[in-house]
Amino acid sequence: MSTNYSREITNCQRNSNDIVQEIHVQWAATKTVGIGTTISAEYLHKMPIAPAGENPIEFTSLNKSNLESWYDNEIKGKYKVVTGIGSTGVVDDSVTIEERIKEQLDNRISDEEYKIKAVSSETFVSDKFGLPY
């Protein structure tokens, strides 16, 4: 069964000159895992935006389309990752930022699926606590 993803820009951070520096996006994922059982997960992504050029758009002139366009362009890129422990070298991640976000959501959904299966399983073993003396 497939997972459905959605997102909504919920806020943006700007500096004292009203230049947007970061966009906050609430992601949601839902997956139907059985008859009448749907699992959902959320993830708040805070995406830094590339510095404005010489003619930035005034904050009050921005609209939903501008913000969504900026965000869409940014998440098609890749995070920079360190090449090794103690290294100062960086390379592009192997997947896009959007794929990493979806991976986070998928992991949260998998955790919930596991909990549902564990509770419904007859072989579920609960932890026991106590000292032997």
Side-chain angles (χ1 to χ4, degrees), residues 1 4 10 25-26 49 74 77-78 81 83-85 99 110 130 132:
M1 291 166 224
N4 296 314
T10 58
V25 181
Q26 185 68 48
I49 299 299
E74 293 291 333
K78 297 181 177 185
V81 293
T83 56
I85 297 173
E99 290 169 312
S110 291

Side-chain angles (χ1 to χ4, degrees), residues 27 46 59 93 99-100 125:
W27 282 77
K46 297 179 180 181
F59 182 75
D93 195 357
E99 290 169 312
R100 283 288 176 226
V125 177

Side-chain angles (χ1 to χ4, degrees), residues 19-85:
I19 304 300
V20 174
Q21 296 179 312
E22 186 175 79
I23 295 177
H24 298 191
V25 181
Q26 185 68 48
W27 282 77
T30 57
K31 180 178 181 182
T32 302
V33 294
I35 299 172
T37 305
T38 301
I39 298 174
S40 62
E42 291 186 348
Y43 179 78
L44 177 61
H45 183 231
K46 297 179 180 181
M47 184 71 204
I49 299 299
E54 291 188 22
N55 298 310
I57 300 172
E58 289 185 32
F59 182 75
T60 54
S61 298
L62 289 172
N63 57 36
K64 185 175 182 178
S65 178
N66 292 122
L67 293 176
E68 287 176 346
S69 178
W70 287 352
Y71 186 72
D72 287 343
N73 287 332
E74 293 291 333
I75 63 172
K76 289 177 185 164
K78 297 181 177 185
Y79 287 122
K80 298 289 185 191
V81 293
V82 178
T83 56
I85 297 173

